[in-house]
Amino acid sequence: MKQGQHKQTDPDPAAHVSAGSLQGYKGLTPALLTKLAKLGISNMQGLLLHMPLRYVDETRITAVRDLRSGEQAQVQGEVVHVEVQYRPRKVLICRLNDQSGQLVLRFLHFYPSQLASLKEGKQIRALGEVRSGFFGWEMVHPQYRVVGDETEVATALTPVYPTTAGLSQAVIRKWIAWALSHADLSDTLPASVSQSLNLPSFAQSLACLHHPAPEADLASLESREHPAWQRLAFEELLAQQLSMRRHYARRKHQGAPALKPSKTLITALLKSLPFALTQAQQKVALEIGRDLEKPYPMQRLLQGDVGSGKTIVAAMAAMQAIEQGWQAAIMAPTEILAEQHYQKMQGWLAPLGIQVAWLAGSQGKKQRREMLAAIADGQAQLVIGTHALFQEQVVFQRLALAIVDEQHRFGVQQRLSLRQKGGQPHQLMMSATPIPRTLSMSYFADLDVSVIDELPPGRTPIVTRLISDARRDEVLERVQDACMQGRQAYWVCPLIEESEALQLQTVTDTYETLQQSFPHLKVGLVHGRMKPAEKQTVMAAFSAGETQLLVATTVIEVGVDVPNASLMVIEHAERMGLSQLHQLRGRVGRGAAKSSCILLYQDGKLSEMARARLKTIYESTDGFVIAQADLAQRGPGEFMGIRQSGVPMLKIADLERDHELLEAARELAERWLETEPVLVDKHLARWLGHAEELVKV
Ligand code: ADP
Ligand code: MG
């Protein structure tokens, strides 16, 4: 179908909408396919959706006498003079005459072939920025080509695409134009939907974005607010909604143990605690408890700021499984954290007669064998571990609930492999990073979310200070004061290996220096390169108050809970991400003492981004505000590891800019999933490229 002739008609659901492999077309050589792959283009849809960065107007030819300084213009004229000047430096000068005046083209770098093509008497069409030079109008390094009298001017604006080394604009334009004329561009949305949203058809939108008419509104095309852009954004968001919500709905057809509410264990556990649950903890515990009663697997994200008390909620969920004779598992991203969970769970649950097992890479062979046996025969009721829990030898007898702490630290593969053990367990994922609404509506739309939006009482707010590295001495004094008053402190260094380029101090250097500065204090050292057993010893000494100052890398970022630690110094804070800083800072302010966090930064070397990050972390302790800022600064791909999670990234839509379209897509998706299975398949095939599979059925 030709562009522009497309009418808005209801799609034929049977039509083959291929995401289209690019294999086997003449001209699409392996070398070219490799280059396209570098741009993320692997199929027809990829070509169609490779969008211009900007546009150039080659539709008009301007007479030299009408040129204006500073403007982009296209001029056509006859070459009347060519010369190479050598002083003050080598330069190729070419004069064009178009009857209304003369224009000088100036090239500071040029090839012999260029010199050969610019012959007196040839017609040249040149495009570039005009400026007024010493000898009249001139263009420096214009785009140009030799033309004949009959060479037509462009009828549409010329797209300029993102590209990669060795792939010229001309080639990429050619193949995108080819895709536009070869692919099936028929609508997957019924005309009624396009009309109610007042958006052009899929084909019209693509035609408009790749080859806009000269009178098109360039500003809205480039800002991506043009209706053509919105149409594609809506379609993409719709595909995302359809796939996430279908995934969500399908889960209800899988079986999982329906766990009756706990009658005794939870009550006994709560009674033994030195504190009462907050309202927020009670609310989320109820939500989780209800999910566990269902005969299909829960997939719930429990989100609560650092220190909000997620661990006890996890323990309550585990009790519901254990009381019915099932096993539960808790996975933590680091050994330090797994060990700490183990200690805590032992303390809470051993008095209730519950067997808690623990599995770590650092265990001896014998102990490990015993643990594996206890897990396999069901004696171990609650199992705590790191990724060691994923190993093949680990077989649960009856696993009903898998809890993943700090879920964003795990890859999606790891989460899946645990889920597969012992059939389908319920899954509870816990994270201290709040998910902004636009994200929970999109990338996390297949999960249920519970939020602990309240901290336990009696916490004093953490005071954050930004201090230039030049004032280290003051900081040392504050560390000393805190430790002399019986408090403890962390000193966090970002890297352990010497890296001159970054001028980061190594953690071992810092450790030695601090030991010398504080001869009367006990200083500990923990970093990622230590053996797990060494780490455990160091952490235990710090927990017990035997060491006062702990020098650490970011290994302590997640979960570590030492309430007596009330001061944290973070070196090179400017190099760390917002969520990471927030997590680190959350290690203090856990007890009743007034806590502070000192962010040391290298003065004079702050990038705009780093400055913005430090400002945010200084001004706010609200995890939600920080997450929003983090998302805005880094984009969704890096946020909570979404890019690594395997969920396809949005290419066209922007969650902030297009949030109204997101709402509309969500509504339509809910309706379609019920009523329009064929349209859903067709739309997903186009956008997510499962065409082959779906076409077969
Ligand atoms: P996080 O949500 O960061 O994992 P934790 O579960 O480690 O937080 O809890 C932080 C600290 O607060 C722990 O020492 C925990 O025992 C304590 N805590 C949890 N809930 C309450 C509560 N309702 N009242 C008082 N202290 C609590
Ligand atoms: Mg925690």
Side-chain angles (χ1 to χ4, degrees):
M1 186 175 318
K2 278 237 182 78
Q3 299 148 22
Q5 290 181 349
H6 188 87
K7 286 212 200 73
Q8 282 198 15
T9 49
D10 274 351
D12 166 11
H16 171 97
V17 183
S18 175
S21 152
L22 294 177
Q23 303 293 333
Y25 287 100
K26 205 175 146 212
L28 281 171
T29 58
L32 180 53
L33 289 175
T34 309
K35 285 177 197 147
L36 290 174
K38 276 202 187 132
L39 295 171
I41 300 172
S42 57
N43 56 22
M44 200 73 109
Q45 180 79 349
L47 276 173
L48 294 176
L49 294 179
H50 192 67
M51 289 300 165
L53 290 169
R54 58 192 171 83
Y55 302 92
V56 177
D57 190 351
E58 292 179 295
T59 64
R60 278 172 302 165
I61 289 181
T62 308
V64 170
R65 81 167 159 260
D66 297 332
L67 292 176
R68 275 189 289 171
S69 188
E71 275 185 4
Q72 181 91 8
Q74 180 169 241
V75 173
Q76 183 168 329
E78 186 184 326
V79 178
V80 291
H81 180 74
V82 181
E83 69 173 307
V84 178
Q85 293 177 353
Y86 291 91
R87 260 174 224 161
R89 51 178 293 198
K90 197 171 159 190
V91 52
L92 168 63
I93 305 268
C94 170
R95 284 175 207 280
L96 291 190
N97 211 330
D98 82 342
Q99 268 138 40
S100 78
Q102 251 192 34
L103 171 70
V104 172
L105 311 183
R106 195 180 276 275
F107 299 90
L108 301 170
H109 315 278
F110 55 93
Y111 300 104
S113 60
Q114 256 175 304
L115 196 52
S117 72
L118 292 169
K119 281 269 173 300
E120 279 176 33
K122 292 261 192 214
Q123 283 283 320
I124 296 290
R125 199 175 282 169
L127 177 78
E129 194 182 302
V130 186
R131 63 180 202 191
S132 110
F134 192 67
F135 298 105
W137 294 119
E138 65 175 36
M139 287 181 183
V140 180
H141 280 273
Q143 280 180 47
Y144 74 95
R145 62 191 168 124
V146 179
V147 292
D149 284 337
E150 71 293 354
T151 310
E152 288 173 7
V153 288
T155 53
L157 300 181
T158 309
V160 179
Y161 293 103
T163 187
T164 181
L167 188 58
S168 71
Q169 285 293 328
V171 170
I172 196 160
R173 276 177 198 146
K174 175 182 139 187
W175 285 103
I176 289 172
W178 169 84
L180 281 167
S181 62
H182 277 72
D184 173 5
L185 305 180
S186 63
D187 275 356
T188 48
L189 304 188
S192 58
V193 174
S194 309
Q195 274 152 17
S196 73
L197 289 164
N198 201 13
L199 293 176
S201 74
F202 182 65
Q204 284 166 340
S205 301
L206 285 176
C208 169
L209 290 170
H210 286 293
H211 301 293
E215 63 278 8
D217 175 12
L218 257 185
S220 74
L221 282 172
E222 289 182 354
S223 72
R224 307 188 157 188
E225 279 154 13
H226 191 280
W229 193 273
Q230 293 200 319
R231 162 72 188 220
L232 298 184
F234 177 76
E235 289 210 6
E236 186 182 40
L237 290 166
L238 179 65
Q240 188 190 44
Q241 289 295 310
L242 289 170
S243 98
M244 299 300 267
R245 295 308 290 178
R246 179 140 84 179
H247 191 247
Y248 181 87
R250 281 186 177 158
R251 207 169 65 225
K252 307 213 157 159
H253 298 291
Q254 300 167 337
L259 304 167
K260 292 206 197 88
S262 153
K263 291 232 170 62
T264 55
L265 284 179
I266 291 185
T267 319
L269 171 63
L270 293 181
K271 239 187 180 157
S272 72
L273 293 177
F275 53 79
L277 295 185
T278 60
Q279 294 275 337
Q281 284 171 316
Q282 288 173 30
K283 182 194 68 182
V284 301
L286 206 64
E287 286 166 357
I288 294 164
R290 288 208 187 107
D291 279 3
L292 295 176
E293 289 177 49
K294 305 270 161 54
Y296 51 85
M298 163 172 86
Q299 258 182 48
R300 189 172 279 277
L301 183 72
L302 172 57
Q303 185 261 298
D305 211 342
V306 282
S308 62
K310 295 183 290 292
T311 319
I312 184 66
V313 175
M316 290 166 68
M319 291 308 94
Q320 190 163 340
I322 291 169
E323 190 163 317
Q324 302 299 320
W326 293 82
Q327 292 170 293
I330 302 179
M331 269 187 301
T334 65
E335 292 247 344
I336 291 179
L337 191 52
E339 157 95 14
Q340 187 182 288
H341 277 326
Y342 175 67
Q343 301 295 357
K344 193 150 228 171
M345 293 293 166
Q346 268 291 39
W348 283 339
L349 306 180
L352 306 180
I354 293 168
Q355 292 288 328
V356 185
W358 117 278
L359 205 62
S362 59
Q363 272 164 335
K365 279 219 172 88
K366 178 164 173 287
Q367 198 187 4
R368 187 176 162 76
R369 245 199 330 270
E370 283 167 15
M371 289 294 170
L372 287 176
I375 295 168
D377 69 13
Q379 260 187 54
Q381 293 163 291
L382 177 62
V383 184
I384 295 166
T386 56
H387 53 274
L389 282 182
F390 307 120
Q391 285 155 6
E392 273 171 34
Q393 311 93 305
V394 185
V395 180
F396 289 86
Q397 198 217 15
R398 279 159 71 76
L399 182 65
L401 170 64
I403 299 169
V404 183
D405 197 14
E406 312 291 347
Q407 70 94 29
H408 58 285
R409 293 300 214 85
F410 288 94
V412 89
Q413 275 321 97
Q414 292 178 321
R415 264 181 276 160
L416 288 177
S417 64
L418 186 97
R419 202 187 300 170
Q420 283 151 9
K421 298 246 185 237
Q424 276 294 334
H426 296 284
Q427 244 197 117
L428 179 63
M429 289 154 273
M430 308 203 288
S431 171
T433 305
I435 306 176
R437 185 175 142 73
T438 50
L439 277 191
S440 68
M441 278 173 65
S442 56
Y443 291 100
F444 293 90
D446 62 337
L447 294 180
D448 293 302
V449 180
S450 289
V451 182
I452 306 185
D453 52 6
E454 168 186 18
L455 290 181
R459 302 265 165 91
T460 45
I462 305 168
V463 178
T464 301
R465 297 198 51 201
L466 290 173
I467 298 186
S468 155
D469 196 52
R471 291 164 54 200
R472 274 177 100 82
D473 287 351
E474 282 172 48
V475 177
L476 291 174
E477 250 170 64
R478 295 197 42 167
V479 170
Q480 161 134 331
D481 288 350
C483 293
M484 295 310 273
Q485 286 165 25
R487 307 261 145 238
Q488 288 167 279
Y490 297 98
W491 190 291
V492 182
C493 310
L495 272 189
I496 63 161
E497 275 149 317
E498 193 71 59
S499 164
E500 285 197 354
L502 300 174
Q503 305 236 314
L504 291 175
Q505 232 161 327
T506 67
V507 70
T508 34
D509 273 359
T510 311
Y511 170 65
E512 278 161 23
T513 318
L514 289 175
Q515 263 185 328
Q516 282 161 17
S517 312
F518 305 124
H520 47 288
L521 293 182
K522 282 248 168 64
V523 186
L525 170 67
V526 66
H527 58 72
R529 290 289 168 91
M530 287 165 94
K531 295 219 176 71
E534 288 177 85
K535 275 192 240 173
Q536 277 164 32
T537 315
V538 175
M539 290 311 294
F542 190 62
S543 276
E546 288 158 20
T547 36
Q548 284 106 45
L549 176 62
L550 183 63
V551 180
T553 54
T554 54
V555 294
I556 58 153
E557 169 195 341
V558 287
V560 170
D561 184 29
V562 179
N564 191 47
S566 65
L567 174 63
M568 172 170 281
V569 179
I570 304 178
E571 283 207 69
H572 288 276
E574 77 278 4
R575 305 203 56 87
M576 296 198 199
L578 267 180
S579 295
Q580 189 171 36
L581 284 171
H582 181 61
Q583 288 280 329
L584 280 168
R585 183 171 59 182
R587 299 308 112 216
V588 293
R590 304 192 142 235
K594 196 166 150 55
S595 292
S596 40
C597 178
I598 295 175
L599 304 177
L600 277 176
Y601 64 93
Q602 297 283 305
D603 216 355
K605 289 190 198 158
L606 289 184
S607 67
E608 281 298 309
M609 276 279 270
R611 199 176 289 276
R613 280 198 302 267
L614 290 179
K615 185 166 183 292
T616 306
I617 202 81
Y618 173 71
E619 286 175 351
S620 180
T621 49
D622 180 339
F624 196 79
V625 171
I626 290 164
Q628 282 280 9
D630 197 18
L631 178 62
Q633 285 176 16
R634 291 195 300 165
E638 311 318 316
F639 191 87
M640 284 185 83
I642 294 176
R643 197 185 300 285
Q644 294 89 300
S645 74
V647 178
M649 298 300 297
L650 293 169
K651 290 199 190 89
I652 306 279
D654 176 288
L655 294 174
E656 291 309 312
R657 182 190 60 219
D658 301 321
H659 78 266
E660 281 174 28
L661 294 173
L662 173 60
E663 301 269 0
R666 185 159 78 148
E667 259 171 50
L668 184 63
E670 289 299 328
R671 252 188 297 140
W672 269 26
L673 284 170
E674 304 262 318
T675 57
E676 303 284 358
V678 181
L679 286 185
V680 170
D681 282 348
K682 193 179 166 193
H683 191 72
L684 285 177
R686 167 170 282 162
W687 281 90
L688 299 180
H690 305 298
E692 272 87 322
E693 259 174 69
L694 293 165
V695 167
K696 262 186 250 149
V697 287

